[in-house]
Amino acid sequence: MTDTNAARLDWEQRIGLPSDRPLVGTADLPAPAGLRSEDGTGHVLLDWEPVEGALGYLVHRAPSVDGPFEPLDHQGGDVLAVPHPPYADSLVEPGRGYWYKVASWTDAGPGPLTATAVPGCARARGAEPARVTVTVDAAATPVPLPGVWNRMIGAEHFSLLVWDREGPGGAGVAAEYARALGIMRDEIGVRTVRAHGTFLPENVTVRDDGSFDFSGLDEVYDRFLATGLKPVVELSFMPRELAAHPDSTVFQYQAVNSVPADWDRWGDLCRALTVHLRERYGADEVAGWEFEVWNEANLEVFWTGTQADYHRLYEVAVRAVKEVDARIPVGGPGSAAAGWVGPLLEFCREHDVPIDFVSTHTYGNAPLDFRPQTRSFAEATGRPEPEILWTEWGVTPTHFHRVSDAVFSAPFVLRGMKAALASTDALAYWVASDHFEELGWPPKLFHGGFGLLTVGNLRKPRFWALSLLSALAGGRVPARVTGDGAEALTEALATRTEDGARVDVLVWNGTLDQTRIDGAPALDRTAAVEVNGLAPGASYAVTLHRVDERHSNIKAVWEDLGGGDWPDAQQWAKLRAADRLSEESLAPVTAGADGRATLTVDLPMPGIRALRLTRT
């Protein structure tokens, strides 16, 4: 295989996954029971009863009760299955009738469709936006809110930290990249960072005597660790000297994606790296870093071998690392499109191979629920249940896609993070910064880059979604949404401090349907936020943060300035001045004798509203 290009890596070309089927996770689960539909404004809402053992569900639609029923593709570019009901189909024409069936889904594929189809017909928008109600029980005992969004973040290869040179738009690459990581640490609370290419040539040299020189990696890791963050040590790609196919590469930086020519030498490399890191940074420190074996080996663009070859790669690597220090957590398969997780667990079960976490990726959808597989593994082996780490996740797998700069992606982030709260240990957004060179450097400021931050570290709407999550204070309390599109388009999270003096309510309106990137008036909502359990008769100051097309949207500011490729000095100054989260004070509210207060906010699609009530 020769160097790839943008078209090869775009998901339209990535769907050619190998035909190897998982050894566990069979597709013979029953169809969901209780399928029902509700006609909504601008959408059809579907709900059903969860199926034990399902990782997700695949919604099918047909123009008539007789079919043909085809899976709904919301144009996100990856796994079409959704992790749980309800589901809002906004790929509809108001007034037109549709029929729906649903199948349970595992990584072996979908099971049988529901026997009976249900009808649905979306309503057109009325004179005013449809309404929803968010009911918060602030009297409930708060429970911890797992930080699945800030345990880990993705980033371009760490060697950018030593690129003391001018990059796109005249930026200093190393300084801006380091600053981006600092912003993620300070404003989102990120603790670990995953990047590709631990074994790139600038990091590791294979000496003539066969030993390894890690001095390049030392310089990179020294700079990285100075940020106060911890690395995910991704054991990839293959040093050219160890590769069976040294001319097979991927990405602009020519990463070798080959199987090893000598499997023992691969083990030597992983062992030597582990020894070196422990000696340089301390055994106890390194024992807290995750080691992940390879990246997306289920795509031929990243791996020249088979699934069996990957299992061998994993086993050799994990045994080499554990031989040095059994405490170091090691896992994989770091796969694309939620693939190969079941087969790796089965391989590790059959051959008594260590696995501390499973890792996989998905884009354009909420993460699926792999707990049935990890729990089954733990029960079968008597070992601890592996953690579930989504080490890449985002709104699109496609480079240079305009959705990455759009407000659409902000409620998408909140939807995914809420879905992950109960089913994963980390959901790592890919990536922190638009300093990213996989398929070439950014051609202009807003180019659809994967970063939460632009070149120049301006905060995109997706960043503000994570920022608002991180700003939630105290523990989680119940927040239930009812009304038109509830819990599928419009969702909510709420927290309160232990003393009850502050209640935060985060409400968003979004769809998975990427044909609606620019919004859809029929999906706009008005939200009545009813907070119960406040101190009767107490007064509360109210702060509102907004993310929508005209608020907290730095791209709109750039367009107002005339747009173009790169800002001049005056434009940079205006952009930096506007790079902030929209905040306004609303009129104070007084809780009634029943401890209730209600506020009403507009909620466009796409849009986020964050309300903070502080007792005065």
Side-chain angles (χ1 to χ4, degrees), residues 162-353:
V162 300
W163 281 35
D164 296 316
R165 67 184 81 170
E166 186 176 287
V173 174
E176 280 202 359
Y177 182 78
R179 177 60 185 143
L181 296 181
I183 291 171
M184 301 308 300
R185 175 199 65 217
D186 296 341
E187 299 184 26
I188 306 299
V190 166
R191 304 188 296 279
T192 63
V193 185
R194 175 185 182 265
H196 298 326
T198 302
F199 297 141
L200 289 174
E202 61 263 36
N203 295 337
V204 180
T205 301
V206 181
R207 299 187 183 100
D208 291 341
D209 65 359
S211 63
F212 304 102
D213 178 358
F214 296 108
S215 57
L217 187 65
D218 292 344
E219 183 181 7
V220 170
Y221 267 31
D222 286 353
R223 292 202 186 189
F224 173 76
L225 291 169
T227 66
L229 295 161
K230 297 182 184 298
V232 175
V233 183
E234 184 190 283
L235 300 177
S236 74
F237 288 94
M238 194 65 62
R240 192 174 299 275
E241 296 85 353
L242 273 58
H245 310 290
D247 294 327
S248 181
T249 63
V250 65
F251 294 146
Q252 189 87 358
Y253 49 84
Q254 307 276 298
V256 177
N257 57 5
S258 172
V259 297
D262 182 329
W263 292 91
D264 289 339
R265 291 290 288 143
W266 166 248
D268 292 342
L269 174 63
C270 295
R271 187 179 301 104
L273 172 71
T274 309
V275 169
H276 179 81
L277 292 176
R278 280 165 45 93
E279 290 177 347
R280 187 171 182 87
Y281 302 111
D284 290 342
E285 170 68 21
V286 175
W289 300 355
E290 289 98 355
F291 282 47
E292 184 183 32
V293 182
W294 215 256
N295 174 71
E296 298 191 350
N298 60 329
L299 300 184
E300 66 175 15
V301 72
F302 290 117
W303 179 239
T304 64
T306 63
Q307 187 180 68
D309 289 332
Y310 173 75
H311 289 164
R312 186 177 184 185
L313 183 89
Y314 177 84
E315 180 177 12
V316 171
V318 69
R319 293 198 188 281
V321 172
K322 295 286 190 179
E323 178 184 314
V324 178
D325 191 337
R327 299 176 299 170
I328 296 173
V330 185
S335 54
W340 284 18
V341 172
L344 180 60
L345 286 169
E346 182 67 7
F347 174 81
C348 291
R349 184 190 67 80
E350 287 186 348
H351 300 278
D352 195 25
V353 175

